[in-house]
Amino acid sequence: MELAVKFVHEQLAAKTELPKFKAGDNVTVNYKIVEGGKERIQSFRGDVLKLQGTGQTATFTVRKISDGVGVERLFPFFSPNIESVQLNKVGKVRRAKLYFLRERSGKRARIKEKRIR
Amino acid sequence: MKGIIGKKIGMTSIFAPDGKQIACTIIEAGPCVVTQVKTEEVDGYTALQLAFGDKTEKHSTKSEINHYAKAQTAPKRFVKEFRNYSLTKALGETISVDIFSEGDTVEVIGTTKGKGFQGVVKRHGFSGVGQQSHGQHDRSRAPGSIGNSSDASRVFKGMRMAGRMGNDRVMLKGLKVLKVFPDKNYILVSGSVPGHNNSIVLIQK
C-alpha cells in the first residue's frame, strides 16, 4: 500500500520547497485565498504547534494569539494554496507537540529562541 | 455497461487544482482476461466473464485449468460476469484500466468489513433507551420495546434487532474517477469504497 500511495503522489505532486521547520518555530505562512472571485495572498504568523502525518498528506498546525484569542490553523505541507513559508525564529523546545501552550497565556506562553552560532 | 475487477489498495488524498484536498481510494484494477463470452443464442443472455489475479496450477482443479486454457491464460483467482458489456471483446483478450478515463462517474461494488454481532445502536442507528440516571442501569444501548401487547401477540417480521453486521455486498454509485495510471493499473476514485484493503472490488460504468 505504501508503495502505491508513494507512486500516486510522485505522479501528481508538483511542489515548491518549504523551509525546514519544526514545532516551536515561528513561521509566516503566505497562502492564497479566493475573495469575491479574486485571488489574493494572506499571511498567518504564529508558532508551529506540531507537525503531523507522513508523506504527501502531512500537515502542520500554526497557533497565534489574535486580539487575545488563540487561533490555530492547520496547513497541509503540499497544499497548492500555500504560496510560501518564512521561518522567522527557531524556537528552543523540548517536545514535538506543544499542546501545553493552549493552556498558557501571556508571558508564560512564550517560546525561547534558539541562538544559532 | 463496462467494468473491471480490481483490488482495493488503500486510501490517501490528493489536491484538486483549486487547492481542495480530496479523499480518494487507490484501486489496482485489472488486467482482466476474458475467459468466456456468453451469447443470447447459447446462454440466453449476453455477458463477459472476466478473470483477475493469477493462482498456481497446484491450487486449481483440472476443470479450472482447462477452462482457462481455452482463453490461453493461467488459472485465475477471481472470476466475475458482467452482463451486456458495451465493448466487444473476444475470448482471451485482456481488459485493462484504460477503459475508464478521468472524470467518469463509476459504480464500485464490494463487500463491507465484517463487524460481527452488533447491537441495535451500532447496527441500526437506534439512540438507546432512556437516561443514564433516574434509577436506570444497564439499559443505555438497549432496543426498547419491540412491539405491542395482546393486539398483535407477535413480533412483526423485519423488526430491527441485534445481529451480524457488515460483510454485505454493497454498491456505491456516483464515484468520480480522479486519475488513471495505465502502466501501473491503478485507478483513483473519489471517496471510500467498501471493504478492507486488498479486498476485491468491481468497478463498472
mmCIF file of all heavy atoms in Angstrom, chain B residues 125-144:
data_model
loop_
_atom_site.group_PDB
_atom_site.id
_atom_site.type_symbol
_atom_site.label_atom_id
_atom_site.label_comp_id
_atom_site.label_asym_id
_atom_site.label_seq_id
_atom_site.Cartn_x
_atom_site.Cartn_y
_atom_site.Cartn_z
ATOM 1 N N GLY B 125 -28.623 2.260 14.136
ATOM 2 C CA GLY B 125 -28.656 3.673 14.471
ATOM 3 C C GLY B 125 -29.690 4.035 15.510
ATOM 4 O O GLY B 125 -30.137 5.179 15.569
ATOM 5 N N PHE B 126 -30.133 3.083 16.346
ATOM 6 C CA PHE B 126 -31.044 3.431 17.435
ATOM 7 C C PHE B 126 -30.317 4.363 18.394
ATOM 8 O O PHE B 126 -29.088 4.351 18.469
ATOM 9 C CB PHE B 126 -31.475 2.177 18.215
ATOM 10 C CG PHE B 126 -32.478 1.315 17.497
ATOM 11 C CD1 PHE B 126 -32.669 1.418 16.140
ATOM 12 C CD2 PHE B 126 -33.218 0.381 18.199
ATOM 13 C CE1 PHE B 126 -33.581 0.618 15.480
ATOM 14 C CE2 PHE B 126 -34.139 -0.424 17.550
ATOM 15 C CZ PHE B 126 -34.319 -0.307 16.195
ATOM 16 N N SER B 127 -31.103 5.126 19.158
ATOM 17 C CA SER B 127 -30.450 6.055 20.059
ATOM 18 C C SER B 127 -30.320 5.486 21.463
ATOM 19 O O SER B 127 -29.874 6.175 22.371
ATOM 20 C CB SER B 127 -31.203 7.379 20.090
ATOM 21 O OG SER B 127 -32.550 7.127 20.354
ATOM 22 N N GLY B 128 -30.747 4.247 21.668
ATOM 23 C CA GLY B 128 -30.658 3.688 23.012
ATOM 24 C C GLY B 128 -31.870 4.078 23.824
ATOM 25 O O GLY B 128 -32.702 4.877 23.391
ATOM 26 N N VAL B 129 -31.957 3.524 25.006
ATOM 27 C CA VAL B 129 -33.157 3.746 25.802
ATOM 28 C C VAL B 129 -32.841 4.643 26.983
ATOM 29 O O VAL B 129 -31.825 4.480 27.634
ATOM 30 C CB VAL B 129 -33.700 2.374 26.281
ATOM 31 C CG1 VAL B 129 -34.513 2.527 27.538
ATOM 32 C CG2 VAL B 129 -34.532 1.760 25.184
ATOM 33 N N GLY B 130 -33.745 5.590 27.182
ATOM 34 C CA GLY B 130 -33.794 6.314 28.435
ATOM 35 C C GLY B 130 -32.548 7.069 28.813
ATOM 36 O O GLY B 130 -31.711 7.403 27.987
ATOM 37 N N GLN B 131 -32.467 7.348 30.067
ATOM 38 C CA GLN B 131 -31.369 8.131 30.596
ATOM 39 C C GLN B 131 -30.388 7.230 31.307
ATOM 40 O O GLN B 131 -30.660 6.047 31.533
ATOM 41 C CB GLN B 131 -31.921 9.175 31.565
ATOM 42 C CG GLN B 131 -32.830 10.161 30.913
ATOM 43 C CD GLN B 131 -33.906 10.597 31.876
ATOM 44 O OE1 GLN B 131 -34.616 9.794 32.476
ATOM 45 N NE2 GLN B 131 -34.023 11.903 32.038
ATOM 46 N N GLN B 132 -29.307 7.838 31.701
ATOM 47 C CA GLN B 132 -28.332 7.058 32.445
ATOM 48 C C GLN B 132 -28.634 7.102 33.932
ATOM 49 O O GLN B 132 -28.182 6.243 34.678
ATOM 50 C CB GLN B 132 -26.937 7.581 32.173
ATOM 51 C CG GLN B 132 -26.579 7.420 30.694
ATOM 52 C CD GLN B 132 -25.105 7.455 30.480
ATOM 53 O OE1 GLN B 132 -24.410 8.219 31.122
ATOM 54 N NE2 GLN B 132 -24.611 6.629 29.575
ATOM 55 N N SER B 133 -29.396 8.114 34.353
ATOM 56 C CA SER B 133 -29.693 8.232 35.783
ATOM 57 C C SER B 133 -31.165 7.864 36.022
ATOM 58 O O SER B 133 -31.761 7.162 35.205
ATOM 59 C CB SER B 133 -29.390 9.651 36.250
ATOM 60 O OG SER B 133 -30.212 10.548 35.571
ATOM 61 N N HIS B 134 -31.752 8.335 37.082
ATOM 62 C CA HIS B 134 -33.133 8.057 37.476
ATOM 63 C C HIS B 134 -33.384 6.566 37.609
ATOM 64 O O HIS B 134 -34.333 6.006 37.061
ATOM 65 C CB HIS B 134 -34.127 8.670 36.489
ATOM 66 C CG HIS B 134 -34.142 10.160 36.540
ATOM 67 N ND1 HIS B 134 -34.504 10.864 37.666
ATOM 68 C CD2 HIS B 134 -33.798 11.081 35.617
ATOM 69 C CE1 HIS B 134 -34.393 12.151 37.418
ATOM 70 N NE2 HIS B 134 -33.957 12.315 36.189
ATOM 71 N N GLY B 135 -32.473 5.901 38.248
ATOM 72 C CA GLY B 135 -32.711 4.500 38.572
ATOM 73 C C GLY B 135 -32.440 3.523 37.451
ATOM 74 O O GLY B 135 -32.529 2.321 37.630
ATOM 75 N N GLN B 136 -32.151 4.017 36.245
ATOM 76 C CA GLN B 136 -31.892 3.081 35.147
ATOM 77 C C GLN B 136 -30.445 2.627 35.220
ATOM 78 O O GLN B 136 -29.564 3.390 35.536
ATOM 79 C CB GLN B 136 -32.103 3.787 33.812
ATOM 80 C CG GLN B 136 -33.456 4.381 33.678
ATOM 81 C CD GLN B 136 -33.994 4.185 32.280
ATOM 82 O OE1 GLN B 136 -33.729 3.173 31.658
ATOM 83 N NE2 GLN B 136 -34.744 5.133 31.800
ATOM 84 N N HIS B 137 -30.274 1.394 34.877
ATOM 85 C CA HIS B 137 -28.897 0.972 34.670
ATOM 86 C C HIS B 137 -28.873 -0.203 33.712
ATOM 87 O O HIS B 137 -29.874 -0.891 33.520
ATOM 88 C CB HIS B 137 -28.209 0.645 36.006
ATOM 89 C CG HIS B 137 -28.551 -0.681 36.583
ATOM 90 N ND1 HIS B 137 -27.657 -1.698 36.661
ATOM 91 C CD2 HIS B 137 -29.696 -1.160 37.082
ATOM 92 C CE1 HIS B 137 -28.238 -2.748 37.199
ATOM 93 N NE2 HIS B 137 -29.475 -2.444 37.461
ATOM 94 N N ASP B 138 -27.754 -0.380 33.042
ATOM 95 C CA ASP B 138 -27.567 -1.456 32.061
ATOM 96 C C ASP B 138 -28.525 -1.347 30.877
ATOM 97 O O ASP B 138 -28.822 -2.338 30.233
ATOM 98 C CB ASP B 138 -27.769 -2.827 32.719
ATOM 99 C CG ASP B 138 -26.606 -3.200 33.595
ATOM 100 O OD1 ASP B 138 -25.667 -2.404 33.653
ATOM 101 O OD2 ASP B 138 -26.646 -4.264 34.201
ATOM 102 N N ARG B 139 -29.083 -0.160 30.605
ATOM 103 C CA ARG B 139 -30.052 -0.101 29.512
ATOM 104 C C ARG B 139 -29.739 0.985 28.486
ATOM 105 O O ARG B 139 -30.563 1.257 27.618
ATOM 106 C CB ARG B 139 -31.456 0.159 30.082
ATOM 107 C CG ARG B 139 -32.134 -1.107 30.583
ATOM 108 C CD ARG B 139 -33.568 -0.881 30.975
ATOM 109 N NE ARG B 139 -34.435 -0.435 29.885
ATOM 110 C CZ ARG B 139 -34.853 -1.216 28.896
ATOM 111 N NH1 ARG B 139 -34.467 -2.463 28.837
ATOM 112 N NH2 ARG B 139 -35.653 -0.741 27.973
ATOM 113 N N SER B 140 -28.583 1.596 28.564
ATOM 114 C CA SER B 140 -28.394 2.775 27.708
ATOM 115 C C SER B 140 -28.256 2.408 26.238
ATOM 116 O O SER B 140 -28.451 3.256 25.376
ATOM 117 C CB SER B 140 -27.199 3.602 28.168
ATOM 118 O OG SER B 140 -26.128 2.780 28.433
ATOM 119 N N ARG B 141 -27.954 1.161 25.891
ATOM 120 C CA ARG B 141 -27.879 0.768 24.475
ATOM 121 C C ARG B 141 -28.912 -0.293 24.132
ATOM 122 O O ARG B 141 -28.768 -1.027 23.156
ATOM 123 C CB ARG B 141 -26.472 0.261 24.152
ATOM 124 C CG ARG B 141 -25.410 1.359 24.254
ATOM 125 C CD ARG B 141 -24.042 0.815 23.989
ATOM 126 N NE ARG B 141 -23.793 0.555 22.581
ATOM 127 C CZ ARG B 141 -23.329 1.472 21.732
ATOM 128 N NH1 ARG B 141 -23.076 2.683 22.147
ATOM 129 N NH2 ARG B 141 -23.122 1.164 20.479
ATOM 130 N N ALA B 142 -29.972 -0.382 24.914
ATOM 131 C CA ALA B 142 -30.982 -1.412 24.691
ATOM 132 C C ALA B 142 -31.951 -0.998 23.583
ATOM 133 O O ALA B 142 -32.097 0.195 23.303
ATOM 134 C CB ALA B 142 -31.753 -1.658 25.984
ATOM 135 N N PRO B 143 -32.640 -1.938 22.910
ATOM 136 C CA PRO B 143 -33.539 -1.572 21.819
ATOM 137 C C PRO B 143 -34.861 -0.989 22.285
ATOM 138 O O PRO B 143 -35.565 -0.356 21.519
ATOM 139 C CB PRO B 143 -33.745 -2.890 21.083
ATOM 140 C CG PRO B 143 -33.496 -3.942 22.097
ATOM 141 C CD PRO B 143 -32.466 -3.392 23.027
ATOM 142 N N GLY B 144 -35.263 -1.229 23.526
ATOM 143 C CA GLY B 144 -36.581 -0.771 23.965
ATOM 144 C C GLY B 144 -37.658 -1.769 23.557
ATOM 145 O O GLY B 144 -37.387 -2.935 23.295
#
